[in-house]
Amino acid sequence: MRRPGWTIPGRWSLARQLLVLQAAIVGLLVAAGATIAYLDAGRSADDAATQTVTAVARSIADADNVRTAVASPDPSRLLQPYAERVRRDTGVAFITIMSPAGIRYTHPNPSRIGGRFVGNTGPALAGLTFTETYTGTLGPSVRTVTPVYDGGQIVALVAVGITIRVISAELRERLLFLAGIAAAVLAVGMAGSYLVAARLRRQTRGVAPAELREMFEYYQAILHAVREGLLLLDRSGRVVLCNDAARDLLDLGPPQPAAGRSSSRVALASPLPSADLRGRLVTDLGLPDELVATLVSPEPRSDEIHVADTRVLVVNTSPVRSRDRAMGNVVTLRDHTELQGLTGELDTVRGFAESLRSQAHEAANRLHTVVSLVELGRPDQAVEFATAELKTAQRLTDRVVGSVTEPVLAALLLGKSAEAGERGVDLLITEDTVIEGVAGPRDLVTILGNLIDNAVDAALAGADVRPPRVVVRARKDDGALVLEVSDSGPGVDPAAVPEMFRRGWTTKTSGGPVGHGLGLALVGQAVRRHGGDVHVGHDAGAVFTVRLPLDPP
């Protein structure tokens, strides 16, 4: 978020801070470079001056006419014009030719001829050529003094110098050039810094670093705190982000022991031992194909239900686009298991209420029949009719209540029996049915309710047996509760058994994948959650056999 009018550097936007920092760095680099160039230019000017005066001094000292003039009665008459001509040609400040005692033969100021040389001559008298910076009659200068030999004897000395003022003038000319280069480099650096800062400002939308840090900290806290799973995928289907809730909902955490699980168990995903999913293809996570297709779908998906190994997931996807370019998908996952269980219980209650309604309707019909028989003067037939109907209903109720100790399951069986009867299907509960001491009645409601519903539909689809029939049997066998639901329908194709407990498998032709194909998936999920297994066989019709350990893992 942009805050106009910021003046505190600590609250400047990241782009502005970067611009100032880059400008300071560029400025320091240019200043350091200019300083180094200045020192180098000064040293180069001194070296050039030293080389010039040394070369001129040695050239004069080696000239034959100088030795000849020194030996003449009036050396100044011959040497002064020569020295001035060389001085003008070479651009040096002065050329002084003197006797070994330091008496000048030449000088740029003729009035100083005959005077004593101002400077050091000791090293030259010892036969050395030396250079020094000394303040003489013309001011501070860089000078070279060298001896003049004639027959192996020092007959004169030559001093050639360039004043510091001349050297400084030459250095100033170089500095103007250096200043121009430094200014150009600074301008280019500032322009580049401004372009980088402008791009960064567009990318960060003018947010200050402190705000970016706070946003990142809040972002991290929210990702780990929300109970809703969040999965970000790039356009190639690779995981960009997966929060803790998504890892848990998709079973992507470290592998857990699976003792007691049946080999027929169908898993949603193989747990990954690595905690880092970033950069992995979603197709490599071991997720079901229909879920992978939803996650990478280029079209948005809303509230799609996918049955996992132990959960029912509601999946929403939203494609992300930037400048009309696909960037990937944002996927949210919600755990629908509890809601699905409550929905199943509600469906059971509704079915029970519906069965009570139908029974009330039948009871009213029977009551009218009894009253009519009494009015016709046949009380014995009226009593016999009423007693027979009562015994039939009571026999079913007594059998269910006596063999099923869990009230919710008893109500489910009574309701499904009445509902099946209303649809013209005989729902038979075998005499040896016993359901007692079983934990998790909600999952048993899911298993029995969906199996009975499917069996009733299958029985109605079978035309060979009249009336259609569904048989429910429950028993204990070797430490497990065995539930068996069979029907008189056409049966199940054995080739379809491996896929029938996954979401979307159905034999119905109406309703689409959302309306059908969920019941058996929920059955498989509940069975796996309790460490059991499901077997699909064939008798007169399909036979579903569920084994649930009485002591589930």
Side-chain angles (χ1 to χ4, degrees):
M1 89 191 99
R2 187 183 299 275
R3 298 181 182 177
W6 285 349
T7 57
I8 303 175
R11 298 181 66 84
W12 281 353
S13 68
L14 182 61
R16 182 178 297 184
Q17 291 192 30
L18 181 63
L19 176 61
V20 173
L21 180 62
Q22 287 181 321
I25 293 175
V26 171
L28 288 175
L29 290 177
V30 170
T35 302
I36 294 173
Y38 171 76
L39 296 176
D40 182 69
R43 185 170 60 253
S44 298
D46 291 341
D47 292 343
T50 299
Q51 292 174 3
T52 298
V53 296
T54 300
V56 173
R58 286 179 174 175
S59 297
I60 293 174
D62 292 338
D64 293 335
N65 61 335
V66 173
R67 285 191 290 271
T68 301
V70 168
S72 67
D74 188 6
S76 296
R77 183 178 63 84
L78 299 174
L79 294 176
Q80 177 68 10
Y82 170 73
E84 286 300 299
R85 185 173 64 253
V86 173
R87 182 182 68 83
R88 288 191 298 269
D89 291 343
T90 58
V92 297
F94 65 88
I95 297 176
T96 300
I97 304 174
M98 69 195 85
S99 68
I103 302 303
R104 301 188 189 97
Y105 296 144
T106 64
H107 194 277
N109 185 356
S111 63
R112 295 185 179 275
I113 295 175
R116 184 171 293 277
F117 177 73
V118 180
N120 298 319
T121 59
L125 292 175
L128 301 177
T129 300
F130 73 97
T131 303
E132 66 175 351
T133 300
Y134 197 87
T135 302
T137 57
L138 298 180
S141 62
V142 175
R143 59 181 64 181
T144 294
V145 182
T146 187
V148 178
Y149 289 93
D150 188 8
Q153 299 293 324
I154 297 177
V155 296
L157 301 176
V158 179
V160 179
I162 298 177
T163 61
I164 299 296
R165 183 175 62 255
V166 174
I167 297 175
S168 298
E170 182 181 353
L171 182 60
R172 281 195 297 271
E173 292 179 0
R174 294 188 181 185
L175 285 180
L176 291 176
F177 178 72
L178 290 176
I181 294 178
V185 171
L186 182 62
V188 172
M190 292 295 293
S193 299
Y194 177 80
L195 293 177
V196 172
R199 178 173 178 82
L200 184 61
R201 185 182 301 110
R202 289 194 301 270
Q203 297 293 331
T204 62
R205 300 186 180 182
V207 179
E211 291 178 312
L212 284 175
R213 183 171 58 254
E214 292 176 359
M215 290 169 60
F216 181 76
E217 291 172 354
Y218 281 124
Y219 158 82
Q220 288 288 343
I222 290 172
L223 285 181
H224 292 286
V226 295
R227 297 180 61 185
E228 190 172 69
L230 179 63
L231 187 67
L232 302 184
L233 305 176
D234 64 14
R235 57 177 172 269
S236 61
R238 296 185 181 274
V239 177
V240 177
L241 182 144
C242 180
N243 70 345
D244 297 343
R247 293 176 57 85
D248 182 54
L249 292 175
L250 295 175
D251 291 337
L252 297 177
Q256 300 294 329
R261 297 294 180 95
S262 170
S263 60
S264 63
R265 175 178 180 268
V266 179
L268 170 68
S270 299
L272 299 176
S274 173
D276 187 12
L277 301 176
R278 184 180 177 87
R280 294 180 63 99
L281 286 170
V282 71
T283 53
D284 295 339
L285 300 182
L287 303 176
D289 294 340
E290 63 271 14
L291 180 56
V292 171
T294 296
L295 297 182
V296 299
S297 171
E299 301 298 329
R301 302 292 182 90
S302 179
D303 292 338
E304 279 198 5
I305 295 179
H306 290 265
V307 180
D309 202 20
T310 57
R311 293 183 178 89
V312 178
L313 300 179
V314 178
V315 182
N316 288 271
T317 67
S318 178
V320 179
R321 305 188 67 84
S322 177
R323 298 177 181 177
D324 294 331
R325 183 184 180 188
M327 303 300 294
N329 280 359
V330 176
V331 181
T332 58
L333 307 165
R334 297 197 309 274
D335 192 348
H336 202 57
T337 307
E338 292 295 323
L339 182 58
Q340 190 65 41
L342 293 174
T343 302
E345 291 185 6
L346 180 59
D347 290 340
T348 300
V349 173
R350 286 177 175 172
F352 191 50
E354 185 67 19
S355 68
L356 291 178
R357 181 198 61 78
S358 63
Q359 289 180 9
H361 185 268
E362 289 298 321
N365 291 335
R366 296 188 189 104
L367 182 59
H368 286 306
T369 302
V370 171
V371 171
S372 298
L373 289 173
V374 172
E375 290 178 348
L376 292 174
R378 297 180 179 181
D380 295 336
Q381 293 181 5
V383 172
E384 182 181 355
F385 176 80
T387 304
E389 292 296 330
L390 180 60
K391 287 180 179 180
T392 302
Q394 190 62 40
R395 187 181 305 113
L396 176 61
T397 302
D398 291 342
R399 181 186 307 167
V400 171
V401 173
S403 59
V404 180
T405 58
E406 175 59 48
V408 175
L409 294 177
L412 171 69
L413 292 175
L414 289 174
K416 293 298 181 183
S417 177
E419 183 180 350
E422 194 173 40
R423 297 179 63 184
V425 177
D426 286 344
L427 178 60
L428 306 179
I429 301 175
T430 62
E431 297 288 346
D432 59 345
T433 293
V434 176
I435 304 177
E436 60 182 5
V438 178
R442 176 178 296 177
D443 286 333
L444 288 180
V445 167
T446 298
I447 296 170
L448 273 177
N450 284 288
L451 289 181
I452 293 174
D453 286 342
N454 283 355
V456 170
D457 291 337
L460 289 172
D464 296 337
V465 179
R466 289 293 178 227
R469 185 179 66 254
V470 173
V471 179
V472 178
R473 183 185 182 192
R475 68 185 188 279
K476 291 183 179 179
D477 179 28
D478 194 18
L481 175 65
V482 180
L483 303 176
E484 185 178 291
V485 179
S486 60
D487 60 69
S488 59
V492 177
D493 183 2
V497 172
E499 296 296 326
M500 65 191 308
F501 291 98
R502 287 191 176 275
R503 174 190 173 269
W505 187 92
T506 181
T507 58
K508 302 178 178 66
T509 58
S510 62
V514 177
H516 295 297
L518 188 59
L520 288 179
L522 293 175
V523 170
Q525 180 195 77
V527 171
R528 288 190 296 268
R529 185 160 50 239
H530 286 270
D533 57 61
V534 183
H535 174 74
V536 182
H538 187 81
D539 192 4
V543 180
F544 286 79
T545 304
V546 176
R547 292 183 63 90
L548 298 176
L550 293 177
D551 186 14

